[in-house]
Amino acid sequence: MIRPLRIALFTPDLRPSAGGPPRVVLGSAQALVARGHSVTIFTLAAGAIDAPGVEICCFPADRPAQIGRSRALQSAARHRIAEFDALHVHAIWEAGAADLAAVFNAAGKPVIVSAHGMLDRWSMAQSRLKKAVALRLWTGRLLSHATAIVFATEEEAAEASNLYPKTPRAIVANGIDIAATRAAIAAARDAVRSKVPSLAAWPRTIVYLSRLHPKKGVDQLVEARLALDARFDDVGLLIAGIPQDDALLQALRSRIAGSPLSDRITLTTDLVGPVAMGALGAAQLFVLPSHQEGFSIAILEAMAAGLPVLITDKCHLPQIEDWQAGAVVPDTVAGVKAGLERLLSLSDDALATAGENARAAVERHYGWPVIAGQLEALYAPGSARA
């Protein structure tokens, strides 16, 4: 039995608009508190966050803000270091993460670093110059001195196998609060149907619920839907996204508006906050056609909703096929189109059965109580150095 631990977590941005990592940080924090540990989250941007039992400390970023450094955060960490047993950093490229880790390193306390997909080949190929500078000035120090680097899957770890091979590795998936996810979906379902009236005209709906970022591959989902033959003319596509790339957003809007299926593809950025979850309750199939993922919380949420999932092989979740919970396809328009044809050709009952398989799998493998038990073993002094 591990004694109660005092755990510090760091993420540069705790706001929901920052994507999956904030949900991982908050979910793990509350699950760890439920297991008797105390948790403090250090961040540079928080917003209005409700996390009972979790201390949230937000510090101003120094200029230039893009570097993600905060002297105030570093000072607070030095002042409070005796309060903590371990640090878990959910960041790679921010200087503040390395500065905070250095305080814990100096005190001889474990520093765990979650990669969140930021060290795989696709990510490392983006903004090469900026990453080279960060690796030289602070990220290299963070990773080489870490007690362990956490990857969500074996595939993700393998892609980063040449980076800091002397630093121990650990495989711990992201988790999900299944009951809260289902409740959020049920509470927002009617609001989504009201905001997206086209849903009423579609016997079947495909949903994309994620950030609108080039790495997510949403453009190839649009092309795949447009390429489907007349057998699937009654299938609608709802793209509910958080805008993060203006050029992509405008290109998607133009492509949809100029297509013959503009009445069967709806792109909206108006489903924000808790109401966005209702989109999962208004669909029969979830698609995430990413070019790169660490471990997607959106996929887990869709599975918890009882939806079959169509994902690319870059999502690092090949078990979907073994669980008969959807399809894993090549990261191409042709691959996504073939996956849509395969799943949409199923009867309503067969599609629903795949969704139930997805729900059962997420309950079995990714509930926060299961994941929190794995995390606390990493935090215990000395345990992550094996």
Side-chain angles (χ1 to χ4, degrees), residues 141 146 180 227 303 310 344:
R141 169 165 48 95
M303 294 172 68
L310 169 60
L344 294 173

Side-chain angles (χ1 to χ4, degrees), residues 20 23 206-222 224 237-242 280 285-303 307-317 320 326-332 335-336 339-340 343:
R23 282 178 282 176
I206 304 161
V207 65
Y208 169 96
L209 179 62
S210 191
R211 293 179 293 139
L212 296 177
H213 186 281
K215 80 170 187 175
K216 297 291 184 177
V218 63
D219 51 340
Q220 66 183 12
L221 171 58
V222 170
L237 169 60
L238 171 60
I239 300 170
I242 299 172
L280 297 175
L285 174 63
F286 173 86
V287 181
L288 188 64
S290 287
H291 305 307
Q292 180 275 335
E293 287 291 334
F295 194 86
S296 170
I297 294 297
I299 295 174
L300 299 188
E301 290 172 340
M303 294 172 68
L307 291 181
V309 297
L310 169 60
I311 61 175
T312 64
D313 51 10
K314 301 304 190 299
C315 292
H316 301 308
L317 203 58
I320 291 296
V328 181
V329 300
D331 175 26
T332 62
V336 176
L340 289 175
L343 293 175

Side-chain angles (χ1 to χ4, degrees), residues 214-234:
K215 80 170 187 175
K216 297 291 184 177
V218 63
D219 51 340
Q220 66 183 12
L221 171 58
V222 170
E223 295 303 326
R225 172 62 192 92
L226 292 174
L228 292 178
D229 63 41
R231 289 178 297 152
F232 306 105
D233 274 356
D234 62 348

Side-chain angles (χ1 to χ4, degrees), residues 14-16 26 45-51 56:
L14 198 56
R15 295 171 297 182
L26 286 169
I49 300 294
D50 181 24
I56 298 175

